[in-house]
Amino acid sequence: MSTVPRFWRHIPQRYNLVGTHCEKCDEYYYPPRTICPNCRRNAKMEDHKFDGEGTVVTFTTIYNATDDFKRQTPYNLAIIELLEGPRLTGQVICSPEVIEIGMRVKPVFRILWKEGERGIIYYGTKFVPTEGWV
Amino acid sequence: MPVGIVSYGVYIPRYRIKAEEIARVWGEREDMAQSLNVFEKSVPDFDEDAVTIAVEAARNALKRASIDPARIGAIYVGSESHPYAVKPTGTIVGEAIGVDHQLTAADLEFACKAGTAAIQACLGLVSAGMIDLGLAMGTDTSQGAPGDALEYTAAAGGAAYLIGREDLAAEIEGFYSFTTDTPDFWRREGMPYPEHGGRFTGVPGYFKHVTSATRGLLKKMKTIPEDYDYAVFHQPNGKFPRRVAKSLGFSADQIEPGLVVPWIGNTYSGSSLIGLAATLDVAKPGDRIFLASFGSGAGSDAFSIRVGDAIEDIRNRAPRVRDYFENVQYLDYAVYAKHKGKLRL
């Protein structure tokens, strides 16, 4: 169960895909890491804003969703590899017939989830196909 | 010192429903689309609202002129469909475009004209030298009750304008507003759909206010309709802007590039601002554009705009309005009702 402060802490990474980059080993991290597992105490970490362009590594299409998402079915969840290397899970907005492994995607700003009728609206990043979308 | 538009961006959702499909469901006349001159309207996705539309439009505006968002000192978002009754849209937009946090922000509401009111607020702060850049937006996912006349036009979309003093894509030479207390259209707190006065929205509402603001600005600027290359009037449907333009002495050619309502519907706070963007998409440096918004309740803001040299450099760096007319996906009424949350489960 998500909470308001927990969402609030994630706003930079959800809205703008802000992760981290280790200048020493040139590795990129999303979600952000504070310690580079390669370089440990010698790491030089900095914030890095990913452009969000990437490729679908694998995906699944949800036909039976939880109550909060059942009006959106069918929808696609994919593991997306960003250009800089990190992989993340995200929703790809397109018909299940269109999505395929290797498809290039780009980020869009959408509602991720609403906490019922009275709660917070959680915004963040989803993805659309690079081809055929404005 | 001249002030005006440094950059602009729009966003229109990908889904459409045809007016004839809505007419089919409610047993209305088949020529409803022709009679309104609105053939289809945009429909938001399940996960789109006035905030997500504003963010996409603002990101397009920043991209178009390669603006550092840290320069923005004010964000004003005009909408009548702010997702929260209490909790600003502008703060979410600001965070999503990566502003420095030293800025002021507020949400505005004035039916369909809150976006031009946002531009006026930014013009004041920029002219006074209090801020470097202001971000003014009009964004809506407007509502029309099932079967109501509004349902044929109530659409979704938004536009964002960066207002500043340097590298102007278009100078705002002057503005004039006309505002009265006219209850032609309203939505009470907590109600899902607006009410309106039917034909009363026409002559005492739209026509009186747009005409008064337009005549007022022409007099103030000492200009005549022929001095302008283009004109944009608020577009609640495809008939009103044509009729008001003709009665004021503007030609069909002057309003044609900005008349987008037949293909996307009335995007409310986005409406006249998307029309202006579609005109900036084709205008040349030196061209003059006349803009008049209208918001029920009621008021109209008229602007005299002169296109600047920077327009040619920035125009193609972000999607144009008509790019959003391509690759659209049509919905039938049942799926549209699901998208709009009209089915209460």
Side-chain angles (χ1 to χ4, degrees):
Chain A
M1 187 66 188
S2 192
T3 62
V4 170
R6 184 173 151 200
F7 169 76
W8 172 76
R9 279 195 292 276
H10 290 156
I11 280 178
Q13 67 194 64
R14 292 252 174 94
Y15 287 14
N16 283 311
L17 297 176
V18 175
T20 47
H21 171 235
C22 176
E23 285 184 66
K24 190 161 167 60
C25 68
D26 200 26
E27 189 82 42
Y28 290 89
Y29 298 101
Y30 186 91
R33 280 177 176 270
T34 46
I35 291 171
C36 173
N38 300 333
C39 307
R40 305 272 171 177
R41 70 179 60 181
N42 296 320
K44 278 189 76 178
M45 295 293 263
E46 59 178 0
D47 283 352
H48 175 78
K49 183 180 175 305
F50 293 92
D51 282 342
E53 297 216 10
T55 310
V56 172
V57 177
T58 185
F59 68 93
T60 184
T61 301
I62 309 290
Y63 290 90
N64 288 297
T66 55
D67 283 355
D68 288 328
F69 295 93
K70 67 181 179 189
R71 276 202 200 172
Q72 296 186 30
T73 57
Y75 62 89
N76 309 307
L77 278 181
I79 293 177
I80 291 148
E81 183 169 301
L82 300 173
L83 292 179
E84 295 91 335
R87 293 177 172 192
L88 57 90
T89 305
Q91 193 172 328
V92 177
I93 302 161
C94 65
S95 144
E97 288 83 48
V98 170
I99 189 167
E100 58 184 19
I101 290 170
M103 187 172 79
R104 295 199 50 191
V105 294
K106 60 182 181 181
V108 290
F109 191 81
R110 296 290 177 112
I111 299 165
L112 298 182
W113 184 54
K114 290 181 187 176
E115 214 167 50
E117 289 279 310
R118 300 164 66 100
I120 290 283
I121 304 169
Y122 299 97
Y123 293 96
T125 304
K126 292 185 182 180
F127 296 85
V128 295
T130 306
E131 296 296 320
W133 286 68
V134 180
Chain B
M1 179 182 270
V3 292
I5 298 161
V6 175
S7 186
Y8 66 98
V10 301
Y11 177 78
I12 302 161
R14 181 183 172 88
Y15 297 98
R16 300 285 184 278
I17 185 168
K18 289 183 182 288
E20 63 188 37
E21 168 69 1
I22 300 173
R24 180 186 70 79
V25 169
W26 298 112
E28 288 285 352
R29 301 156 27 199
E30 283 180 9
D31 65 348
M32 198 66 166
Q34 285 77 14
S35 116
L36 288 168
N37 191 26
V38 176
F39 298 92
E40 53 198 59
K41 67 167 189 171
S42 60
V43 180
D45 206 341
F46 300 108
D47 53 3
E48 292 185 300
D49 62 14
V51 167
T52 65
I53 288 169
V55 168
E56 296 288 348
R59 285 179 174 172
N60 281 335
L62 290 170
K63 190 161 67 175
R64 179 165 262 130
S66 306
I67 295 290
D68 175 5
R71 290 176 57 197
I72 295 170
I75 296 180
Y76 293 113
V77 189
S79 179
E80 58 149 64
S81 50
H82 292 290
Y84 287 100
V86 180
K87 162 81 183 84
T89 299
T91 56
I92 307 169
V93 173
E95 202 65 46
I97 61 171
V99 292
D100 175 320
H101 295 120
Q102 295 175 51
L103 82 167
T104 180
D107 292 355
L108 307 181
E109 186 277 315
F110 195 142
C112 295
K113 85 153 193 80
T116 53
I119 288 180
Q120 290 173 326
C122 287
L123 282 172
L125 292 170
V126 167
S127 300
M130 291 174 158
I131 60 170
D132 178 12
L133 283 177
L135 177 61
M137 282 173 281
T139 176
D140 261 310
T141 53
S142 48
Q143 302 292 333
D148 188 90
L150 287 176
E151 200 180 20
Y152 294 88
T153 55
Y161 284 81
L162 280 158
I163 305 297
R165 288 180 294 268
E166 294 161 6
D167 302 322
L168 297 181
E171 178 190 347
I172 295 179
E173 301 173 307
F175 67 78
Y176 182 98
S177 293
F178 183 81
T179 308
T180 72
D181 181 9
T182 306
D184 57 333
F185 172 105
W186 63 91
R187 179 165 65 82
R188 295 270 299 275
E189 182 73 43
M191 293 292 112
Y193 300 112
E195 303 290 324
H196 56 86
R199 292 172 68 88
F200 183 68
T201 60
V203 172
Y206 182 89
F207 291 97
K208 175 182 170 182
H209 292 80
V210 171
T211 301
S212 299
T214 299
R215 291 204 172 122
L217 184 59
L218 291 174
K219 190 175 172 195
K220 181 180 169 184
M221 298 295 300
K222 299 187 174 63
T223 51
I224 56 173
E226 289 77 10
D227 291 333
Y228 295 91
D229 298 277
Y230 302 104
V232 181
F233 297 98
H234 172 55
Q235 306 165 21
N237 54 51
K239 290 187 307 184
F240 281 18
R242 283 180 168 174
R243 197 185 301 163
V244 84
K246 192 176 176 190
S247 74
L248 287 162
F250 290 89
S251 71
D253 287 345
Q254 282 170 298
I255 64 166
E256 198 278 328
L259 194 65
V260 294
V261 65
W263 309 111
I264 61 171
N266 178 8
T267 51
Y268 282 51
S269 300
S271 173
S272 57
L273 293 182
I274 292 176
L276 174 62
T279 307
L280 289 170
D281 283 343
V282 298
K284 294 181 181 55
D287 283 351
R288 288 177 98 182
I289 303 171
F290 192 94
L291 167 70
S293 65
F294 171 70
S296 288
S300 174
D301 303 324
F303 298 82
S304 180
I305 297 166
R306 188 184 290 275
V307 180
D309 292 334
I311 192 77
E312 303 279 15
D313 300 331
I314 68 168
R315 182 150 44 204
N316 294 325
R317 292 202 227 145
R320 298 187 190 200
V321 173
R322 281 177 168 73
D323 292 336
Y324 286 98
F325 294 9
E326 311 288 329
N327 291 315
V328 299
Q329 198 171 328
Y330 290 99
L331 305 178
D332 62 22
Y333 191 90
V335 178
Y336 153 80
K338 197 166 89 160
H339 270 244
K340 294 287 289 171
K342 287 175 190 269
L343 301 171
R344 306 295 289 182
L345 300 175

